[in-house]
Amino acid sequence: MLYAILSEDVADSLEKRKSARPAHLKRLQDLQDEGRLIIAGPHPAIDSNTPGEAGFTGSLVIAEFSSIQEATGWADIDPYVTTGVYDKVSVKPFNQVYPQ
């Protein structure tokens, strides 16, 4: 089943993000290599794909896991969690309707 992992950053998270980004991207690449990643990316703090020093307010990952427990376990050990980038993480089942 698919799960949406919705994360909200702490204030002024940009430097922490930069530091933890390589390890965070490695985990996403692993999901992609396994054919389980649907989409992933950050939410810019301003209306721009390159927000610069404005940074980001959170992230979204939609991926396939065998259960909500597996998805939550995966999210709980993300480098952005363990290094304090994220203030809050929610994991919800996701039903993809489009694209088919």
Side-chain angles (χ1 to χ4, degrees):
M1 178 162 192
L2 297 179
Y3 293 90
I5 302 169
L6 303 149
S7 306
E8 296 178 24
D9 282 22
V10 298
D12 301 315
S13 64
L14 188 57
E15 290 308 313
K16 289 180 181 181
R17 269 184 173 268
K18 288 178 182 179
S19 176
R21 190 169 193 261
H24 172 75
L25 293 180
K26 169 72 170 87
R27 296 182 81 233
L28 292 171
Q29 184 65 52
D30 290 346
L31 280 179
Q32 182 172 315
D33 292 348
E34 295 166 4
R36 297 169 46 200
L37 182 64
I38 303 303
I39 195 166
H43 301 285
I46 60 174
D47 192 10
S48 172
N49 285 330
T50 54
E53 291 303 310
F56 301 92
T57 62
S59 300
L60 169 66
V61 173
I62 299 177
E64 184 178 345
F65 294 93
S66 63
S67 67
I68 196 165
Q69 291 82 9
E70 181 189 7
T72 301
W74 185 90
D76 286 347
I77 59 171
D78 189 89
Y80 281 0
V81 171
T82 61
T83 62
V85 172
Y86 292 154
D87 178 50
K88 179 181 175 185
V89 178
S90 300
V91 179
K92 299 178 179 187
F94 181 79
N95 184 19
Q96 183 176 351
V97 175
Y98 289 102
Q100 296 179 341

